Amino acid sequence: MIKKIAIACDHGGVGLKKFLKDQSFSLEIEWIDLGTHSEDSVDYPDYGYALSETITRGEAEYGIAICGSGIGISIACNRNDNIRAAVCTNTTMARLTRIDNNANVLCLGARIIGDVLAYDIVETFLTTKFESGGRHERRVNKLKREN
Ligand code: RB5
């Protein structure tokens, strides 16, 4: 089955975004590329918000958000109640944020990690399932604003 993945970055993440889109993963991916497309300076919140809204509208199952550190764009994504965005710098974080937090946006710092590690993190994130029905689900439900 093809997974729709939204991907967005600021100017700091253009190279890593292109690298990831050029790779093959163990699942078939249809990328929804929300930009930016050049190294001209832009503002990471604009791209984090666009990514979050795309997921909220149900147009993509997961998102990958990239900026220089991964942090700014993660803060932007997490302002949307439907988003659980996690900055991951290794595959263990990627695995645990899926199992424990049901994260739906993976944030990467293009100035922090290399392309090959980023590939492994994305592969891990996209292939690890949330452990639903128990304590993790109870905790994730408590993250909703009304709870
Ligand atoms: C852009 O230069 C940089 O500030 C941005 O990519 C990010 O690292 C912010 O958190």
Side-chain angles (χ1 to χ4, degrees), residues 16-137:
L16 179 55
K17 174 161 71 65
K18 184 181 179 325
F19 172 81
L20 291 171
K21 284 181 63 191
D22 286 346
Q23 305 309 304
S24 25
F25 291 88
S26 64
L27 55 165
E28 214 178 326
I29 295 175
E30 180 185 331
W31 294 107
I32 299 170
D33 187 343
L34 302 168
T36 188
H37 301 290
S38 83
E39 287 180 9
D40 295 345
S41 184
V42 293
D43 299 333
Y44 59 81
D46 297 334
Y47 294 86
Y49 297 153
L51 184 87
S52 302
E53 282 155 19
T54 298
I55 293 170
T56 299
R57 289 195 301 268
E59 293 167 14
E61 188 174 346
Y62 296 114
I64 297 175
I66 311 168
C67 68
S69 64
I71 297 170
I73 205 159
S74 76
I75 295 170
C77 290
N78 276 318
R79 293 181 61 81
N80 180 313
D81 276 350
N82 302 299
I83 301 301
R84 293 170 302 282
V87 185
C88 296
T89 55
N90 60 53
T91 54
T92 307
M93 293 170 80
R95 188 168 56 80
L96 292 178
T97 200
R98 287 290 307 128
I99 292 172
D100 292 8
N101 317 125
N102 199 14
N104 53 3
V105 174
L106 169 65
C107 301
L108 299 170
R111 296 174 183 157
I112 307 293
I113 57 169
D115 289 355
V116 177
L117 176 56
Y119 173 88
D120 289 341
I121 290 171
V122 171
E123 173 71 22
T124 302
F125 184 88
L126 295 179
T127 56
T128 305
K129 286 191 168 43
F130 176 48
E131 239 175 56
S132 58
R135 67 193 189 286
H136 297 311
E137 190 162 342

